[in-house]
Amino acid sequence: MKGTIIKGIGGFYYVKASGNIYECKARGVFRKQSITPMIGDRVEIETDGEKGSIVDIFDRTSYLVRPPVANIDTMLLVVAAASPEPNLFLIDKMLVNAEISNIQPAICINKTDLENREDLKRIYEKAGYRLFFVSAEKNEGIDELQSFLHGKTTAFAGLSGVGKSSILSIITEDLLETGSISEKIRRGRHTTRHVELFELSDGGFVLDTPGFSSLEVEGIKAGELWRYFPEMCDSENKCRFRGCSHINEPDCFIKEKLLSGELSQERYESYKQLYEQLKSVKEWEKR
C-alpha cells in the first residue's frame, strides 16, 4: 500500500494508508543508503495486520531540516496584528527560508479583533503573497483559511504568542493540544513534543513547526538572495552591472522598482539586512 508518514517516535513510523494507521519500521536498506524517513514522506509499505515495513520512499518535492519534515505544499506564517507587535524582518526571514525550501508561503494575520493591519496587507500583497486575516479569539475568518488548506499539506510557523496553536486547535477540532499563555510575557507555550501531521476532516494535513522561526537563512549566497524575493526575481540581467548587489550600484533595476513603488521600502530594508548577514557569513567561512 501507498501512504504518508504522519508521526515518528522511537524508530517507529506511523503511516496513514487506505484509511488506517500502521505502525511501521524502516527496512535496513535505508540505513545502509543513509536515508532516514521523514514525517510527510510518501511511502510504500507491506503490512501484517496493524504493523508493517516501509519498503520504498518516493521522491520528495520539498523538505525542511528543522523540524525534519517532507513534502510540504504550503508554509503558513502566523503573525499577530498586535501583542506581540509584528517583526517584519523575522517575517521576511521566514518567507525566504520557505522559498529556499521550495515551499509556497502564505501569511495569516491573527488577532484582527485587536488591530486592523492595512500596512501588512499593502506590504505583502505587493510582494505577491496570499494573506488571511483572522481572529482565533472570535473565530472570524477561519472558514476562508480552511478552504485554502483543503487538500494541501501545510506547515504552520510563527513566533510565540501569535495564536498559532489556537488556530491549529480550531481547524483540527482540538486534536492538537494547546498550552496556556502567560499574561505577563504574552508568549505561547506549546505542549506538543514531536512533529506530527494532523489530517483535516475535509482533506489535507497540517503540522506545527516549532523552532522554524528561529532559523538563520542558510544554503544560499548573498548574490542569490534576490531570487527568493518574489517581487525581485524578474530582475536577472536587467541591471547595468553584472552581479549587481541591488544596494550601491547605479542603474539598478530593483532600485527602480523601489522608486516606482512596485517594491515596498520595508521589504527592501529586510533584503539589505539579510544580504549583509549572508555576505558576512560567506567572508567568515573563507577565513
Side-chain angles (χ1 to χ4, degrees):
M1 289 185 291
K2 294 178 181 179
T4 301
I5 298 177
I6 62 170
K7 181 169 60 173
I9 301 175
F12 290 94
Y13 299 94
Y14 296 84
V15 179
K16 181 70 178 285
S18 300
N20 297 310
I21 296 175
Y22 299 90
E23 181 184 271
C24 298
K25 294 282 283 185
R27 286 274 171 90
V29 66
F30 298 118
R31 187 167 56 254
K32 292 177 183 176
Q33 296 172 350
S34 298
I35 298 173
T36 302
M38 298 174 74
I39 310 308
D41 267 335
R42 297 181 181 110
V43 298
E44 186 171 342
I45 62 173
E46 291 178 351
T47 63
D48 178 14
E50 294 180 355
K51 299 190 176 183
S53 299
I54 296 173
V55 297
D56 197 8
I57 300 173
F58 300 110
D59 290 344
R60 295 162 179 160
T61 59
S62 64
Y63 68 92
L64 295 174
V65 176
R66 293 185 297 270
V69 59
N71 299 316
I72 302 300
D73 300 310
T74 305
M75 176 76 71
L76 189 74
L77 303 184
V78 182
V79 179
S83 187
E85 181 68 17
N87 183 317
L88 299 188
F89 178 65
L90 289 180
I91 294 170
D92 291 332
K93 189 172 73 168
M94 288 192 283
L95 289 169
V96 168
N97 269 325
E99 299 276 6
I100 290 170
S101 300
N102 196 33
I103 298 171
Q104 180 62 50
I107 301 170
C108 177
I109 312 295
N110 187 29
K111 303 188 183 181
T112 54
D113 53 299
L114 298 181
E115 193 169 333
N116 181 6
R117 298 306 298 250
E118 287 297 321
D119 57 330
L120 298 180
K121 183 176 183 181
R122 170 185 60 80
I123 293 166
Y124 291 105
E125 284 190 347
K126 185 179 290 186
Y129 289 112
R130 180 80 182 270
L131 271 78
F132 299 90
F133 291 84
V134 309
S135 170
E137 179 73 22
K138 296 191 174 182
N139 205 351
E140 294 173 349
I142 301 296
D143 289 347
E144 184 183 1
L145 178 60
Q146 285 179 310
S147 296
F148 173 74
L149 299 175
H150 175 73
K152 300 181 178 73
T153 298
T154 304
F156 277 62
L159 300 178
S160 296
V162 297
K164 174 166 55 87
S165 297
S166 297
I167 296 171
L168 279 165
S169 290
I170 294 171
I171 63 175
T172 61
E173 299 170 359
D174 293 323
L175 288 175
L176 192 72
E177 288 184 284
T178 305
S180 62
I181 294 181
S182 165
E183 289 294 329
K184 183 177 179 182
I185 61 173
R186 304 297 296 171
R187 289 181 179 175
R189 177 175 58 82
H190 199 277
T191 58
T192 300
R193 292 178 176 84
H194 57 266
V195 177
E196 182 174 353
L197 292 182
F198 291 89
E199 190 168 17
L200 301 177
S201 58
D202 59 349
F205 293 95
V206 294
L207 73 150
D208 195 3
T209 57
F212 179 80
S213 59
S214 65
L215 297 181
E216 294 305 317
V217 172
E218 298 173 332
I220 63 169
K221 298 176 182 177
E224 300 169 332
L225 178 62
W226 60 272
R227 298 180 185 275
Y228 302 97
F229 279 70
E231 67 272 53
M232 298 185 190
C233 65
D234 63 344
S235 65
E236 190 163 21
N237 300 323
K238 293 182 180 178
C239 298
R240 177 180 171 185
F241 294 103
R242 189 177 183 87
C244 181
S245 70
H246 315 302
I247 295 175
N248 297 314
E249 299 88 341
D251 300 325
C252 170
F253 182 71
I254 282 176
K255 285 197 286 186
E256 289 173 6
K257 279 191 161 190
L258 182 64
L259 289 172
S260 70
E262 290 180 71
L263 168 64
S264 74
Q265 185 68 44
E266 294 89 346
R267 289 275 288 169
Y268 183 63
E269 292 301 323
S270 291
Y271 168 81
K272 289 196 297 181
Q273 191 173 342
L274 276 171
Y275 183 91
E276 291 303 321
Q277 285 186 3
L278 288 169
K279 189 178 175 184
S280 66
V281 168
K282 186 179 178 183
E283 289 172 353
W284 177 82
E285 287 176 344
K286 282 182 178 179
R287 289 200 294 269

